[in-house]
Amino acid sequence: MRLIIDGDACPNKQEIKELAMKHNVEMFVFIDYAHVLEDDYYQVINCEIGSDSVDMAIVKSVQENDIVITQDYGLAGLVLSKRAIVLHVSGQMIDNSNIDSLLFSRYVGAKMRKASQRTKGPAKRTDDVKIRFLEQLDNLLKR
């Protein structure tokens, strides 16, 4: 098991690193060249700048039972097909029982935005959400 982070917009990298160290799990953070990130524990994988370059690099790298942290439902669907475990930064587990509805809601939102209709963005990330996410990750890493 490895920890794979879709790093361009992932919050709490320091806390994630601390949990990875606690459980002695390899950690990889994928970012594009528009971002700068260095660390002495986890490996930073730099990807081309551009649409989906980080996602495609993650899909190529991910292995069965890796834990992938992402907010991207499209990426989640792809890595689920490789039998990875997916955790959203909200603490929600993404799996085969909910990915279709999540992808559908993403599709509907995109259609509404294209038709110039306003859609509600994600709620502000609260301390409770952060705590739930980190607890969920800690539980996954205990396996």
Side-chain angles (χ1 to χ4, degrees):
M1 171 189 358
R2 302 174 307 158
L3 188 53
I4 309 282
I5 312 296
D6 183 358
D8 289 342
C10 181
N12 308 115
K13 286 183 197 72
Q14 181 62 36
E15 292 92 340
I16 294 169
K17 171 187 163 179
E18 290 167 8
L19 287 172
M21 291 173 69
K22 172 184 167 185
H23 295 285
N24 197 29
V25 173
E26 276 186 291
M27 180 174 163
F28 299 86
V29 179
F30 288 73
I31 59 172
D32 67 30
Y33 287 114
H35 298 84
V36 177
L37 185 64
E38 293 181 8
D39 193 83
D40 58 347
Y41 179 75
Y42 55 79
Q43 185 173 347
V44 177
I45 310 297
N46 289 294
C47 304
E48 293 296 321
I49 297 172
S51 177
D52 299 327
S53 63
V54 169
D55 295 352
M56 291 303 103
I58 290 173
V59 170
K60 284 182 183 178
S61 174
V62 75
Q63 300 170 8
E64 185 174 346
N65 294 320
D66 283 348
I67 299 170
V68 178
I69 297 174
T70 187
Q71 300 179 60
D72 183 327
Y73 298 143
L75 173 60
L78 292 170
V79 299
L80 282 173
S81 71
K82 295 185 89 175
R83 303 180 75 167
I85 299 160
V86 183
L87 179 63
H88 189 277
V89 297
S90 67
Q92 176 187 19
M93 294 297 302
I94 301 175
D95 57 28
N96 290 323
S97 71
N98 62 6
I99 188 63
D100 289 338
S101 64
L102 294 170
L103 288 169
F104 183 72
S105 67
R106 180 182 79 159
Y107 168 77
V108 169
K111 293 284 282 184
M112 289 176 67
R113 287 187 297 279
K114 191 172 182 178
S116 299
Q117 294 178 341
R118 291 182 50 88
T119 59
K120 188 175 179 181
K124 184 176 180 190
R125 196 159 192 269
T126 64
D127 286 339
D128 288 342
V129 170
K130 174 184 170 181
I131 290 166
R132 183 175 62 236
F133 163 70
L134 294 171
E135 286 174 349
Q136 185 74 278
L137 179 58
D138 190 37
N139 289 333
L140 287 172
L141 293 172
K142 287 177 186 175
R143 293 181 178 184

